[in-house]
Amino acid sequence: GSTLVIAAHNNERLFPITFNAIGAAQKIGGDVTCLVLGKGCGKVAEETSKIAGVKKILVADDNVFHGFLPEKVAPAVVAAQEQFNFTHIVAGGDAFGKGVIPRVGALLNTQPISDVTEIQSEDTFVRPIYAGNAIMTVRSLEKIKLMTIRPTCFEGAAPSGGSAETDKAPAGKSEGGDVSQFIEQKLTKSDRPELAGAKIVISGGRGMKNGENFKMLYDLADQMGAAVGASRAAVDAGFVPNDMQIGQTGKIVAPELYIAVGISGAIQHLAGMKDSKTIVAINKDPDAPIFQVADFGLVEDLFKVVPELTKLVTKK
Amino acid sequence: MSLRVLVGVKRVIDYAVKVRVRPDHKWVVTDGVKHSMNPFDEIAVEEAVRLKEKKVVAEIVAVSCGPPQAQETLRTALAMGADKAIHVEVPAKEAETLAPLHVANILAKIIQEEKIDLVILGKQAIDDDSNQTGQMVAGLLNWPQATFASEIVQDGDGLKVTREIDGGLEVVQVKLPAVVTTDLRLNQPRYATLPNIMKAKKKPIDKKTPADLGVDITPRQEIISVDEPPTRQAGAKVADVADLVQKLKEAGRI
């Protein structure tokens, strides 16, 4: 077998999810090739070539990849597939991978598998359905296995120790012309770690009452080196932006420590955090479902507890 | 502008229902369980209706692929403001293996027949959570795709779409025809009013089969098993913050 991994990056550095995707590719077995498409992505190509276990990298540094538009990326993936006949094509299940893999599937007349959490064999994969309330084991009947992987379920490949050969990626046929155009990105700026990779995540729910009160969580997070997330209820109520949402329709996290503050524990929220190693729940309602998954539950008013906790972890 | 819009609506187990795995471990229990329109599809219908209210859109065609009960979901779409509906009937048993690529091929065929300019679909269905159909329709037709939309604005002869991405937002410009998929913050779907529910009963629902459209729905994958997720044991309650910090230190977490 041979697997192509589509690198997710910002032309400056690889996104951590790419290391998880390479880790998943190594579990499939066979040679791993990485496709690096970008505009001014020389640094990323170099970074990718050093990853342990990557045999070859295919690089296309071209203006057409400005903004990583799926209309341009997908045909390039297809061109690489036509030249090298990979048995598997893997991308991380982030906004980029979710945008590209199904489009590649349509172009190759192949049904992809989303959000793979376990690789059982070269054609059999495990993935969650119904917001993680059921786990499906599925065998792909396709010649090419196309998939996105859930990053928290695969250990990342080591960033050094490899020396991949570099080749030019074949150009894709872009029939549509310039049907889409990248305008801009507005990324939330923060000194805190990213939600996806943070060792500690602190999340607020509807119990926070408003957006201003999230400052309490930011203060606590700064003392603990934690990232801050939110439940869908808090996002729906307009307290915080959607990119903070943890849950089935938001981000899936699995940190070492997850602290749920004022979160009741709706099914869709649990789907996004129940693989965390240790879960703490702070909620004044003793019957909140979040306590059913928490290792440590504290039935108390969060407005009293959070400042106390901040003080205690600061003293240390 | 007077665009013809197609919205996809899927009938799924209601989001508030706790799903259970079927005893044969091949799917989940659906009999006697409350079903509703996929929440992301409600957002898609709402957006189409709002674009019609802004005179950007002239006609809204709602499409659903699934068993006979999918007609209920189409009636809901019609009551929200869709003008007509197409039901592509797939028997319940076959619907279990109906994959996004099958649905995308069905939609692509209808899109061509109906001379559609804009396709609005939910970003994912909350049953199989695939998050693929919109991107696949766009790929099959070689149309631009703007996924995970939180804002759609008409801009010249195209659309400016704000997308929810990891770490923030992104803005893309797409020419028409195009496919857009909806994310949570795009809008708050309306409830159908009683007069509109009554009116919807008179709107037409066309019936077709995948075979009518020339689409083969042979399974693309085999379900080996469907299982309950591992359950997490609830731990203990702690007395106070000091106790919590103590326990977390013992566990090596802080």
Side-chain angles (χ1 to χ4, degrees):
Chain A
S2 57
T3 300
L4 179 69
V5 175
I6 307 168
H9 62 92
N10 61 2
N11 292 315
E12 286 293 316
R13 60 180 182 92
L14 283 168
F15 293 150
I17 195 169
T18 305
F19 294 89
N20 305 105
I22 294 168
Q26 287 164 348
K27 286 216 158 161
I28 296 168
D31 291 342
V32 176
T33 301
C34 254
L35 180 62
V36 181
L37 306 170
K39 178 189 166 192
C41 59
K43 248 160 82 181
V44 175
E46 200 188 317
E47 186 187 357
T48 312
S49 70
K50 291 178 184 152
I51 298 172
V54 175
K55 183 143 190 235
K56 186 198 268 192
I57 63 170
L58 300 171
V59 182
D61 193 335
D62 196 306
N63 279 336
V64 301
F65 299 117
H66 177 55
F68 307 100
L69 295 166
E71 294 84 351
K72 301 296 179 193
V73 172
V77 175
V78 171
Q81 174 61 27
E82 280 167 356
Q83 185 171 340
F84 296 99
N85 283 311
F86 300 101
T87 55
H88 297 72
I89 303 178
V90 177
D94 57 359
F96 171 71
K98 285 174 183 167
V100 168
I101 287 285
R103 193 169 178 111
V104 171
L107 299 177
L108 294 174
N109 188 27
T110 296
Q111 174 58 51
I113 300 178
S114 296
D115 240 351
V116 169
T117 54
E118 189 190 327
I119 290 156
Q120 288 200 338
S121 72
E122 57 173 26
D123 66 358
T124 306
F125 310 95
V126 179
R127 61 178 301 262
I129 55 173
Y130 285 97
N133 288 295
I135 307 295
M136 179 163 77
T137 305
V138 69
R139 173 151 64 217
S140 170
L141 306 174
E142 303 284 1
K143 207 171 120 242
I144 308 159
K145 277 72 179 172
L146 262 177
M147 73 194 84
T148 57
I149 58 102
R150 183 170 285 192
T152 52
C153 297
F154 297 94
E155 210 172 308
S160 62
S163 56
E165 55 171 300
T166 302
D167 225 334
K168 234 178 116 178
K173 281 176 263 170
S174 190
E175 291 165 42
D178 285 323
V179 289
S180 63
Q181 200 190 333
F182 171 81
I183 308 286
E184 61 174 331
Q185 271 188 357
K186 302 169 197 167
L187 298 181
T188 314
K189 288 214 164 49
S190 169
D191 294 332
R192 279 173 224 111
E194 287 175 52
L195 267 177
K199 286 199 162 62
I200 303 177
V201 173
I202 302 168
S203 276
R206 203 194 298 274
M208 296 303 297
K209 297 212 168 100
N210 59 45
E212 289 73 57
N213 288 335
F214 266 75
K215 180 164 186 307
M216 286 169 41
L217 301 189
Y218 300 140
D219 291 343
L220 176 59
D222 290 339
Q223 295 305 327
M224 300 183 83
V228 177
S231 70
R232 176 169 163 181
V235 174
D236 276 351
F239 299 172
V240 290
N242 192 50
D243 57 298
M244 286 173 66
Q245 191 202 147
I246 291 169
Q248 181 62 21
T249 55
K251 290 199 171 63
I252 312 285
V253 298
E256 288 179 12
L257 175 60
Y258 188 88
I259 305 179
V261 182
I263 289 178
S264 66
I267 295 170
Q268 69 259 29
H269 184 73
L270 301 184
M273 47 63 81
K274 67 183 176 185
D275 292 334
S276 306
K277 295 213 173 66
T278 299
I279 297 174
V280 171
I282 298 168
N283 200 310
K284 65 182 175 189
D285 173 10
D287 299 323
I290 189 79
F291 288 119
Q292 290 164 21
V293 299
D295 300 285
F296 304 114
L298 181 52
V299 183
E300 266 276 26
D301 182 2
L302 70 94
F303 293 101
K304 174 174 168 281
V305 166
V306 174
E308 267 183 52
L309 187 55
T310 309
K311 254 190 222 153
L312 268 181
V313 293
T314 309
K315 256 196 268 171
K316 173 173 80 89
Chain B
M1 274 193 175
S2 54
L3 304 177
R4 289 176 58 77
V5 175
L6 180 143
V7 290
V9 295
K10 186 176 188 181
R11 177 180 177 267
V12 298
I13 293 181
D14 189 86
Y15 76 97
V17 171
K18 172 89 177 85
V19 299
R20 285 175 303 124
V21 169
R22 212 163 64 188
D24 70 356
H25 285 268
K26 291 291 178 188
W27 199 241
V28 299
V29 176
T30 53
D31 284 351
V33 172
K34 186 186 176 197
H35 283 69
S36 305
M37 187 190 294
N38 176 41
F40 290 105
D41 300 347
E42 283 185 331
I43 298 173
V45 177
E46 175 66 33
E47 195 63 18
V49 174
R50 289 187 190 190
L51 288 170
K52 193 177 174 189
E53 287 164 352
K54 286 182 198 149
K55 313 272 185 227
V56 176
V57 162
E59 188 171 22
I60 302 167
V61 183
V63 180
S64 191
C65 304
Q69 300 94 314
Q71 291 212 6
E72 298 159 18
T73 310
L74 287 170
R75 287 286 170 211
T76 306
L78 293 169
M80 287 175 73
D83 297 290
K84 68 171 199 173
I86 299 172
H87 177 209
V88 181
E89 191 168 344
V90 179
K93 187 79 197 117
E94 288 166 51
E96 284 171 15
T97 54
L98 194 69
L101 187 54
H102 299 133
V103 176
N105 272 297
I106 289 170
L107 294 180
K109 200 69 197 290
I110 294 173
I111 287 160
Q112 285 165 330
E113 283 181 2
E114 295 283 330
K115 300 190 169 40
I116 296 294
D117 308 294
L118 172 63
V119 178
I120 310 180
L121 304 179
K123 75 165 178 179
Q124 76 191 66
I126 60 163
D127 49 6
D128 69 359
D129 287 324
S130 285
N131 194 330
Q132 295 178 352
T133 306
Q135 296 88 309
M136 289 190 142
V137 170
L140 290 172
L141 297 168
N142 259 311
W143 286 9
Q145 67 184 54
T147 48
F148 323 141
S150 62
E151 194 184 15
I152 303 173
V153 184
Q154 186 203 335
D155 187 68
D157 56 358
L159 302 173
K160 199 177 253 185
V161 181
T162 303
R163 307 178 54 227
E164 305 268 3
I165 59 164
D166 303 86
L169 297 171
E170 176 176 296
V171 182
V172 292
Q173 169 102 23
V174 292
K175 286 185 183 161
L176 292 167
V179 177
V180 177
T181 73
T182 63
D183 215 319
L184 275 182
R185 289 196 297 174
L186 182 59
N187 61 48
Q188 286 285 344
R190 70 194 64 195
Y191 291 101
T193 61
L194 190 59
N196 284 340
I197 291 170
M198 300 310 287
K199 263 191 252 169
K201 288 185 177 161
K202 291 187 192 125
K203 293 183 183 174
I205 298 185
D206 260 8
K207 236 168 101 170
K208 289 183 193 295
T209 64
D212 292 341
L213 297 161
V215 176
D216 176 11
I217 58 165
T218 306
R220 297 281 189 152
Q221 51 193 34
E222 180 193 346
I223 298 172
I224 307 286
S225 70
V226 175
D227 302 288
E228 303 275 357
T231 50
R232 206 185 160 100
Q233 290 292 320
K237 296 269 168 43
V238 294
D240 52 29
V241 175
D243 188 15
L244 175 64
V245 171
Q246 176 70 25
K247 293 253 165 58
L248 288 177
K249 280 185 180 158
E250 281 165 17
R253 294 297 179 218
I254 58 172

